Amino acid sequence: MNGLNLFRIAVHALSNNKTRAFLTMLGIIIGVASVITMLAIGQGSKSSIENQISEMGSNMIMIYPGESRMGGVKLSASEMNTLKIEDYESLKELDYLSGVSPLVSSSGQYIFGANNYPSAISGVSPDYLSIRQLKLASGAMFSEDDIRLSAKVCVIGTTIKNNLFPNGEDPIGQIIRFKKIPFQVIGVLESKGYNSMGTDQDEIVLTPYTTVMKRILAVTHLKSIYASAITEEQTEVAKQEVSEALRYNHKIESGGVDDFNIRTQEELASMISSTSELMTTLLACVAAISLLVGGIGIMNIMYVSVTERTKEIGLRMSVGAKGIDILSQFLIESLLISVTGGIIGVVLGCSFALGVNKLVHWPIEIETWTILVSFAVCSFTGVFFGWYPAKKAAQLDPIDAIRYE
Amino acid sequence: MRNKIIELIDIKRNFSVGSEVVRALRGISFTIREGDFVTIMGTSGSGKSTLLNILGCLDDTSNGEYYLDGVLVRNMSKNERATLRNRKIGFVFQSYNLLAKTTAVENVELPLMYNSSIRSKDRRDRAITALTRVGLADRLQHKSNQMSGGQMQRVAIARALVNDPAVILADEATGNLDTRTSFEILTLLQRLHSEGKTIVFVTHNPEIAEFSNRCIILKDGLVDSDVYNSDVRSAAEVLANLPVLNED
């Protein structure tokens, strides 16, 4: 018996019971379609989060003042004044950092002419642009000279621009007021939109950190320091280097607790993506269970089919079919059901995913491996759940089978 | 001397039912030569079915030797017996046993499907030839549920002929048919016999024996009588003399 003949016999047997074959297939179709859709949505949201994070600068390192004790009393991080200008200056010397910027901020009302808008002002160094991957749409960034002079200049984001200059005037060169201090606008940033946490990244005003520290807040400590590692891979080494420098500056003995915290984007990314990975895993589990149920459906129908066709099996054996021929025939039947169901399921799953993307604008990503894995699982399901019924058929005694009523 | 197609030497077959041993065949010996048309008769319990299973290589013997067309069947594996059935035996069953919702020609092709040396074109040609021999050349594409009992049995006979077997084993082949159709089938078998086919017809109907040239009667697992029939009746003549039913 050659394979082609067995295949023909199996197709013929299935086409004799089209409705039943289709209903059996339905379990697999729903299983595969849900696997594909769920994974596409899961992968899509994961990679969209990852993209947004890397847009924020995947090699970014954030240094915050950390836990400290004053005479046995634990103080909250926001009360800590442990980060100083000297820390910033020393980080500038490090090998693995490509940029360092202090951050001091204050909030208040911006006023220009008859328009006003509540927001914050961020005191930074010119490196901040490259660290946060910000680009200028027009004008220029302030310089080191501006920092030395605590110049009253600023670079604004598009949200600020749109609110203070609603009629589309060119803001460059205009004077806006923040807490009664006049700032000259020297640059406008390109729009970045909202990030995955829902923060408007265009609501931003940058000014020299010295200006904020001396003219607005009158403080000597920094709220935080932003830095970027030379490459994403060097983030860990850079983090180590920063930690050592700060411990040296702050005279922390070995074994002592850091009075600062270092966060990398990578940690943030893995935190967020682990949440979405968990979701993806859960969705995949639900889908896999439905595939299992589909497989049991196949097994059930194949058992019914073997019993129902006992006489046919007896006849085939009496005209010369060997056990292996009968086994192969029923295995091919269950494989045909599961693989055809798999193909339909993949097509449906992809269409569902695209539909979700079109209708509710969820990000999706259909990866080749999910399709390949679905196929592999389908074939496995077909063979695994078809095996016992097929084995049962092959082991029938032709004498009993041919006289089975 | 014609070739020996079937040679049985002291065939015994025992079945264990619980603690008892049922001796279905208790030592049967006979030889069937090429071109014989043999009826095997006996009441129920005489061992007919057991003998048929052994002749059809579906069952093994407990004792004794069985040669089919010169091949020793004893000690063959299941798969070897399947191949032997495929090449040497054509079965005709009481209840036709055609594949449901399958055309006549596909039903007849079935034994050749399990013979990988035959190509699909050849297979189709041989099936059509076999169907033509049984007078169903115009029913090739009819499905099994679109045919009468007689036609279905003809398809079954064509299926038994298609692999050009050494022997055709018919098991109560007219049992499900009315008188007229039974004689039509007998006429067909007699014609095949006259063309040189070896036929073994197992039945409990004594009338059939009159149309064969040899009759073996079994009783309690032994051969009770084995007689040649010199006066073989022609089924075609009987058929011609049957009263014609007027269905107007």
Side-chain angles (χ1 to χ4, degrees):
Chain A
M1 186 75 169
N2 61 40
L4 187 66
N5 283 352
L6 281 173
F7 185 78
R8 272 195 203 132
I9 290 172
V11 170
H12 194 268
L14 287 180
S15 66
N16 274 350
N17 263 313
K18 287 190 196 75
T19 316
R20 181 197 283 184
F22 176 73
L23 288 175
T24 314
M25 230 177 257
L26 205 55
I28 296 292
I29 294 175
I30 293 171
V32 172
S34 53
V35 169
I36 299 273
T37 314
M38 300 293 179
L39 286 179
I41 293 171
Q43 289 291 337
S45 69
K46 191 182 151 207
S47 63
S48 101
I49 289 170
E50 282 171 355
N51 277 344
Q52 284 173 350
I53 286 172
S54 76
E55 261 172 42
M56 281 160 63
S58 56
N59 46 359
M60 190 161 80
I61 297 170
M62 291 154 285
I63 303 135
Y64 298 100
E67 175 181 285
S68 179
R69 288 164 198 262
M70 298 269 278
V73 179
K74 262 194 180 179
L75 297 174
S76 86
S78 59
E79 287 173 38
M80 301 310 310
N81 302 334
T82 50
L83 290 180
K84 304 289 185 191
I85 293 286
E86 296 75 48
D87 291 325
Y88 159 63
E89 297 291 344
S90 70
L91 294 187
K92 283 212 282 193
E93 311 299 320
L94 298 182
D95 299 333
Y96 287 99
L97 296 184
S98 60
V100 189
S101 166
L103 179 67
V104 276
S105 61
S106 171
S107 42
Q109 206 76 7
Y110 286 96
I111 301 166
F112 176 76
N115 301 306
N116 70 91
Y117 190 71
S119 187
I121 194 160
S122 304
V124 297
S125 78
D127 277 358
Y128 194 72
L129 286 191
S130 67
I131 296 169
R132 296 302 301 266
Q133 305 207 337
L134 298 168
K135 286 193 183 73
L136 283 164
S138 60
M141 187 61 178
F142 49 80
S143 62
E144 290 293 336
D145 285 342
D146 292 322
I147 288 172
R148 232 176 356 261
L149 297 169
S150 308
K152 291 177 280 184
V153 292
C154 68
V155 172
I156 61 174
T158 46
T159 304
I160 305 292
K161 178 192 151 194
N162 294 340
N163 280 285
L164 294 182
F165 306 95
N167 303 323
E169 309 97 305
D170 183 7
I172 307 287
Q174 301 284 0
I175 306 290
I176 60 173
R177 299 173 80 85
F178 179 77
K179 289 188 172 173
K180 295 183 183 164
I181 302 165
F183 283 89
Q184 186 179 26
V185 178
I186 57 167
V188 178
L189 295 168
E190 271 181 13
S191 174
K192 282 192 90 174
Y194 288 81
N195 69 9
S196 54
M197 271 83 72
T199 312
D200 181 1
Q201 298 178 92
D202 297 327
E203 192 183 320
I204 183 171
V205 177
L206 303 176
T207 191
Y209 63 94
T210 47
T211 312
V212 175
M213 289 172 80
K214 290 175 184 166
R215 296 184 191 272
I216 300 173
L217 295 173
V219 293
T220 55
H221 66 271
L222 303 173
K223 188 183 160 200
S224 55
I225 299 173
Y226 278 64
S228 60
I230 294 168
T231 63
E232 198 180 331
E233 291 71 34
Q234 285 167 331
T235 312
E236 273 309 303
V237 196
K239 185 182 167 186
Q240 200 60 40
E241 207 182 16
V242 168
S243 175
E244 277 163 19
L246 291 179
R247 284 175 76 94
Y248 177 79
N249 289 352
H250 297 180
K251 301 185 175 62
I252 300 167
E253 290 166 15
S254 65
V257 182
D258 289 350
D259 60 355
F260 53 88
N261 276 317
I262 305 174
R263 292 259 167 279
T264 60
Q265 268 313 64
E266 222 170 300
E267 285 168 358
L268 186 67
S270 70
M271 198 176 74
I272 296 173
S273 67
S274 75
T275 319
S276 81
E277 253 166 34
L278 179 71
M279 277 304 290
T280 311
T281 314
L282 286 178
L283 292 175
C285 284
V286 171
I289 289 170
S290 65
L291 207 53
L292 177 78
V293 173
I296 294 170
I298 291 187
M299 194 169 187
N300 191 17
I301 282 300
M302 291 310 290
Y303 264 124
V304 172
S305 177
V306 167
T307 309
E308 205 182 62
R309 285 154 64 191
T310 301
K311 209 164 180 174
E312 175 196 323
I313 295 164
L315 170 74
R316 288 182 185 279
M317 286 177 158
S318 65
V319 299
K322 301 186 182 92
I324 184 82
D325 295 329
I326 301 292
L327 182 87
S328 315
Q329 176 190 336
F330 280 89
L331 267 189
I332 290 174
E333 275 182 39
S334 66
L335 256 178
L336 267 179
I337 290 179
S338 61
V339 171
T340 313
I343 292 171
I344 299 175
V346 165
V347 172
L348 269 185
C350 291
S351 342
F352 278 149
L354 292 174
V356 163
N357 182 246
K358 276 264 169 336
L359 293 178
V360 282
H361 305 292
W362 288 0
I364 59 148
E365 196 173 298
I366 300 166
E367 294 193 35
T368 329
W369 70 264
T370 58
I371 294 174
L372 293 178
V373 166
S374 300
F375 268 122
V377 169
C378 280
S379 318
F380 175 75
T381 306
V383 174
F384 184 80
F385 289 101
W387 178 262
Y388 287 97
K391 190 88 184 147
K392 187 188 165 197
Q395 284 170 342
L396 285 174
D397 183 359
I399 301 169
D400 297 334
I402 196 83
R403 295 195 171 84
Y404 182 87
E405 292 300 334
Chain B
M1 207 62 182
R2 289 169 294 145
N3 286 337
K4 289 176 182 174
I5 296 295
I6 287 172
E7 186 175 16
L8 298 179
I9 304 166
D10 194 28
I11 294 291
K12 290 178 182 164
R13 182 70 173 106
N14 302 332
F15 296 101
S16 308
V17 181
S19 56
E20 275 182 59
V21 175
V22 177
R23 296 165 67 195
L25 299 178
R26 302 201 279 178
I28 287 185
S29 305
F30 60 76
T31 301
I32 294 173
R33 291 185 182 274
E34 193 177 2
D36 274 351
F37 184 173
V38 183
T39 42
I40 296 179
M41 294 209 302
T43 54
S44 58
S46 59
K48 289 198 306 278
S49 297
T50 310
L51 181 61
L52 182 78
N53 291 339
I54 288 171
L55 290 179
C57 302
L58 292 167
D59 198 4
D60 220 342
T61 58
S62 305
N63 183 60
E65 305 294 6
Y66 169 31
Y67 293 90
L68 173 63
D69 203 18
V71 180
L72 180 62
V73 179
R74 206 156 81 99
N75 300 331
M76 270 191 164
S77 72
K78 269 187 160 185
N79 284 345
E80 286 169 330
R81 275 192 275 145
T83 308
L84 193 66
R85 287 197 293 274
N86 185 253
R87 307 295 148 84
K88 302 269 184 201
I89 297 170
F91 282 100
V92 181
F93 301 97
Q94 178 173 2
S95 50
Y96 331 127
N97 284 16
L98 298 186
L99 294 180
K101 300 180 192 170
T102 306
T103 61
V105 71
E106 283 169 335
N107 263 296
V108 175
E109 279 183 337
L110 188 67
L112 304 181
M113 296 279 260
Y114 294 99
N115 184 346
S116 50
S117 64
I118 294 171
R119 297 183 171 279
S120 72
K121 170 80 175 66
D122 200 16
R123 190 168 67 216
R124 180 57 51 121
D125 291 345
R126 285 174 70 167
I128 292 170
T129 310
L131 278 166
T132 311
R133 273 178 91 178
V134 300
L136 286 178
D138 56 341
R139 292 281 193 279
L140 299 180
Q141 297 303 329
H142 280 54
K143 294 199 171 169
S144 38
N145 52 337
Q146 297 166 332
M147 289 186 284
S148 68
Q151 287 170 335
M152 284 197 275
Q153 197 58 300
R154 282 165 190 269
V155 174
I157 292 170
R159 184 180 62 199
L161 286 172
V162 77
N163 55 348
D164 193 24
V167 60
I168 293 174
L169 290 180
D171 181 12
E172 297 280 15
T174 56
N176 277 8
L177 302 173
D178 59 61
T179 315
R180 171 171 286 275
T181 321
S182 294
F183 282 115
E184 282 171 8
I185 294 299
L186 276 176
T187 309
L188 174 60
L189 289 177
Q190 280 192 329
R191 203 184 77 220
L192 293 173
H193 173 229
S194 69
E195 288 165 16
K197 283 280 159 206
T198 311
I199 301 169
V200 175
F201 198 116
V202 177
T203 180
H204 65 269
N205 181 0
E207 204 186 354
I208 306 285
E210 299 170 20
F211 300 93
S212 66
N213 68 345
R214 183 178 169 193
C215 178
I216 297 171
I217 297 175
L218 297 185
K219 193 177 177 186
D220 297 332
L222 289 167
V223 174
D224 191 47
S225 75
D226 182 354
V227 289
Y228 281 84
N229 179 8
S230 51
D231 181 24
V232 180
R233 285 176 70 190
S234 160
E237 275 174 28
V238 178
L239 188 62
N241 294 332
L242 277 179
V244 179
L245 289 176
N246 200 341
E247 289 183 355
D248 288 334

